[in-house]
Amino acid sequence: MRIAVAGGTGRIGRLVVEEARRRGHDAISLSRGEGVDLTTGEGLAARLDGVEAVIDATNPPVSDVAEAERVFATVTRTLLVAGAAAGVAHHVALSIAALDRVQGNPHYFGKRAQERDVARGAVPFTIVRATQFHDFPAMIAEWSIVDGEGVVPPLLLQPIAPADVAVALVETAAAPALGGSFDIAGPRTEDAVDMARRTFAARGRELPLRASWRGAALGVEFAGEVLLPAEGARLAPTTFDDWIAAGAD
Ligand SMILES: NC(=O)c1ccc[n+]([C@@H]2O[C@H](COP(=O)([O-])OP(=O)(O)OC[C@H]3O[C@@H](n4cnc5c(N)ncnc54)[C@H](OP(=O)(O)O)[C@@H]3O)[C@@H](O)[C@H]2O)c1
């Protein structure tokens, strides 16, 4: 099956392209670095020739709520309109578990706009709502370095291995469209501060860390069980411990 991975050069998109090829699919990537800009549609139509499924793993850079809603909606509609014209049979969007529970975060506003437009679009769809990836706490610690310390909010997560997300996206793309969404999560809950410390240790990165909501990339609206997956979520096999033991990549 020919699968186009929008954002196929990104953190998760690269793994999706690799996983699709491993399963014998003909996978191509769509990104600005490869001549396809999904905010304008430049270069897109020609790349969708013969594509049966599109997996959207883009992450366009945005700085505020208004820009996030506008850019995520534009990228989504551009993909769907071109996909419908090219006869794409399944649009799979990577979204975030607990999306409706968090207000005030620009990325979440953008993702809600994306989900809304996927559901309104002319291409049969499935939305895969993943929990945070195993490298998420280390990533957000790098975003918030204050006086030489990485600030990590004390989140409760049920994180998932990036490679397991890639498997779920490729399996979903090859199956019939659900016309709805499902949550996918890792097998157990974890403490984000402990995860960040262990990720940096496994990678040999020396960055002192401080647990705090103040100065952190995510605020107290993410506290408690907010980020846990919905009841009945599909659970992927790779634990955080497994991922650390395999090198935290
Ligand atoms: N990290 C997590 O814990 C987590 C959890 C659940 C869901 N997610 C979702 O996963 C998605 C992917 O995240 P990521 O960290 O893998 O992203 P990433 O590493 O930042 O990669 C983003 C990809 O999108 C492409 N892109 C950005 N703007 C584009 C445009 N205008 N046109 C075409 N391509 C464009 C980038 O390539 P160019 O820059 O070359 O265009 C790149 O290939 C996000 O939407 C996020 O919500 C993440």
Side-chain angles (χ1 to χ4, degrees):
M1 168 182 227
R2 191 162 170 80
I3 299 177
V5 183
T9 56
R11 167 75 175 120
I12 202 71
R14 275 183 294 112
L15 300 179
V16 175
V17 170
E18 282 170 22
E19 183 61 32
R21 289 181 180 155
R22 206 175 357 257
R23 289 168 181 249
H25 298 297
D26 173 16
I28 61 161
S29 169
L30 312 170
S31 69
R32 289 171 301 180
E34 297 159 314
V36 180
D37 188 341
L38 296 170
T39 56
T40 62
E42 182 194 336
L44 179 59
R47 303 299 308 280
L48 290 184
D49 195 29
V51 166
E52 292 161 83
V54 167
I55 298 175
D56 184 2
T58 54
N59 193 19
V62 291
S63 53
D64 59 35
V65 168
E67 187 187 25
E69 288 186 325
R70 181 171 47 76
V71 172
F72 275 87
T74 302
V75 165
T76 302
R77 287 183 210 151
T78 302
L79 269 176
L80 289 166
V81 168
V88 170
H90 195 176
H91 181 99
V92 178
L94 172 59
S95 190
I96 313 175
L99 190 66
D100 306 319
R101 276 183 241 145
V102 178
Q103 300 298 324
N105 180 286
H107 188 74
Y108 278 62
F109 276 91
K111 297 300 286 187
R112 281 193 287 271
Q114 176 184 9
E115 286 202 1
R116 179 199 62 213
D117 285 344
V118 167
R120 286 181 183 165
V123 180
F125 71 95
T126 305
I127 296 169
V128 179
R129 290 175 144 197
T131 54
Q132 289 63 44
F133 307 156
H134 285 334
D135 57 345
F136 182 81
M139 180 176 76
I140 62 173
E142 296 276 12
W143 292 348
S144 315
I145 297 178
V146 180
D147 296 332
E149 285 183 320
V151 182
V152 186
L155 302 164
L156 178 65
L157 303 176
Q158 192 166 331
I160 182 167
D164 287 346
V165 177
V167 167
L169 289 169
V170 174
E171 286 181 348
T172 300
L178 285 182
S181 66
F182 66 88
D183 277 20
I184 181 160
R188 46 174 291 164
T189 52
E190 303 282 350
D191 161 1
V193 180
D194 176 63
M195 290 173 69
R197 287 194 205 289
R198 292 173 60 198
T199 303
F200 285 130
R203 291 175 174 174
R205 165 96 164 93
E206 287 185 22
L207 176 67
L209 296 179
R210 177 158 51 90
S212 179
W213 296 107
R214 297 188 185 176
L218 304 185
V220 286
E221 69 271 24
F222 289 89
E225 300 201 337
V226 166
L227 288 174
L228 298 190
E231 219 33 57
R234 299 185 192 180
L235 297 187
T238 311
T239 64
F240 181 73
D241 289 355
D242 295 336
W243 180 78
I244 287 288
D249 183 24

